[in-house]
Amino acid sequence: MTTRLRVIFGVGTLLFLVVSPVHGSDNATTPLVLWHGMGDSCCNPLSMGAIKKRIEGAIPGIDVLSLMIGKTVIQDTENGFFMDVNEQVAMVCSQLSQDPKLKSGQFLRAVAQRCPSPPMKTLISIGGQQQGVYGLPRCPGESSVICDWIRKKLNSGAYTDVVQKHLVQAQYWHDPLNDDLYKKHSLFLADINQERVVNETYKKNLQMLDKFVMVKFLQDTVVDPVDTEWFGFLKTGQAKETETLQESVLYKEDRLGLAAMEAAGKLHFLATEGDHLQFTEKWFNENLLPYLR
């Protein structure tokens, strides 16, 4: 039996992977893998823990694993800010390939493109920054000091080797005023978005999805530009006018296979009122749970 995954991806708070039952398992439900974003941890009772309980309550018997990027919760939180995203993706690929419940049976999209085993069935991006950002992060509470420091580093040189290697925010920083610099020095985003060369393996693996769902928050004050949540972005050479996915070179040349996926009915665009990752339990149950069942 081939394992298929359904995935929810959200930058800043949560990432989900859902996997079909392993052959021979008594559990008929799909295992779920959670992966938090920047500023969060695997086990926060106000975010990942609450989401985990909500899903377990809605889907009895489901196995839920919340990924820890590091050996402790503190390391997990710090790595969300400072660990090379490529190393994080490799670590998650390794964890998934070694988990007995999964065998045979802008981050998670990279997993879909780079690590096709176990294969994914559905990818859901919740506020995910598919084309990166060109706005500086706004972080509340204790994280604000870190975000202020990140702002200074991005302003001083987002595409320097040191900043690219050690700041997660820099690795999906997309400067439309310095397009050549972005394409040449972006360690993560330019690679998974096929900005330099077309990696046919990435393209083939992403097109193996049955559904790619993108959720945009209509009053998002964290992600800039908000169009990136639907794979749109600022037009190259200026920083005011945006273009949709369908207007982009990425789509017109079909460098990632998104045009073919839309033609096949695989792309789904959802929108909700509210700020970044702010949604009600009712909205979650009505719009996201159906993809997890």
Side-chain angles (χ1 to χ4, degrees), residues 203 206-207 209-212 214 245-246 251-252 254 256-269:
K203 188 173 179 178
L206 190 64
Q207 290 183 91
L209 292 168
D210 289 344
K211 296 183 182 68
F212 182 4
M214 287 168 270
L245 165 63
Q246 291 76 11
Y251 185 91
K252 290 178 178 178
D254 208 14
L256 198 52
L258 295 172
M261 292 178 70
E262 183 165 44
K266 293 185 175 183
L267 298 188
H268 300 259
F269 300 89

Side-chain angles (χ1 to χ4, degrees), residues 194-246:
Q194 311 273 53
E195 298 280 15
R196 291 185 280 264
V197 297
V198 174
N199 184 322
E200 292 295 339
T201 299
Y202 285 6
K203 188 173 179 178
K204 176 184 176 181
N205 289 344
L206 190 64
Q207 290 183 91
M208 289 172 63
L209 292 168
D210 289 344
K211 296 183 182 68
F212 182 4
V213 185
M214 287 168 270
V215 179
K216 179 164 72 171
F217 293 87
L218 298 178
Q219 284 79 44
D220 202 319
T221 62
V222 176
V223 175
D224 185 16
V226 69
D227 303 80
T228 187
E229 297 173 356
W230 276 3
F231 239 119
F233 203 65
L234 294 161
K235 292 183 177 180
T236 301
Q238 50 84 61
K240 292 184 178 180
E241 188 177 354
T242 60
E243 65 183 9
T244 65
L245 165 63
Q246 291 76 11

Side-chain angles (χ1 to χ4, degrees), residues 153-174:
K153 293 300 179 182
L154 291 175
N155 281 330
S156 64
Y159 297 120
T160 61
D161 290 342
V162 172
V163 174
Q164 277 289 306
K165 187 68 177 177
H166 297 289
L167 283 184
V168 169
Q169 185 83 11
Q171 291 166 40
Y172 54 91
W173 184 258
H174 187 169

Side-chain angles (χ1 to χ4, degrees), residues 7-179:
V7 183
I8 293 183
F9 176 149
V11 173
T13 296
L14 57 99
L15 311 159
F16 300 1
L17 291 126
V18 187
V19 202
S20 296
V22 176
H23 180 66
S25 170
D26 293 331
N27 190 350
T29 62
T30 20
L32 172 66
V33 179
L34 309 182
W35 187 7
H36 67 87
M38 189 174 70
D40 205 351
S41 73
C42 64
C43 314
N44 188 335
L46 299 178
S47 56
M48 299 306 291
I51 291 289
K52 181 174 183 291
K53 287 183 178 180
R54 180 180 299 176
I55 294 171
E56 288 173 336
I59 309 175
I62 190 171
D63 292 313
V64 182
L65 168 66
S66 188
L67 294 170
M68 180 184 290
I69 310 300
K71 296 181 179 179
T72 67
V73 171
I74 293 176
Q75 284 184 1
D76 189 27
T77 304
E78 291 175 344
N79 287 338
F81 286 101
F82 305 120
M83 185 178 187
D84 187 333
V85 177
N86 294 301
E87 294 178 13
Q88 293 188 52
V89 170
M91 182 182 294
V92 170
C93 289
S94 177
Q95 290 186 48
L96 296 182
S97 67
Q98 296 175 29
D99 193 304
K101 294 179 180 178
L102 306 183
K103 285 183 177 179
S104 301
Q106 254 114 95
F107 303 0
L108 270 188
R109 177 164 61 84
V111 174
Q113 291 173 208
R114 295 176 180 176
C115 314
S117 180
M120 298 182 186
K121 182 176 181 181
T122 301
L123 170 64
I124 305 178
S125 168
I126 308 177
Q129 299 145 24
Q130 303 300 327
Q131 279 279 24
V133 296
Y134 189 55
L136 298 174
R138 178 182 63 81
C139 303
E142 296 178 357
S143 298
S144 62
V145 175
I146 297 176
C147 286
D148 286 342
W149 183 80
I150 289 175
R151 286 189 186 95
K152 293 178 182 178
K153 293 300 179 182
L154 291 175
N155 281 330
S156 64
Y159 297 120
T160 61
D161 290 342
V162 172
V163 174
Q164 277 289 306
K165 187 68 177 177
H166 297 289
L167 283 184
V168 169
Q169 185 83 11
Q171 291 166 40
Y172 54 91
W173 184 258
H174 187 169
D175 187 344
L177 302 178
N178 292 283
D179 193 56

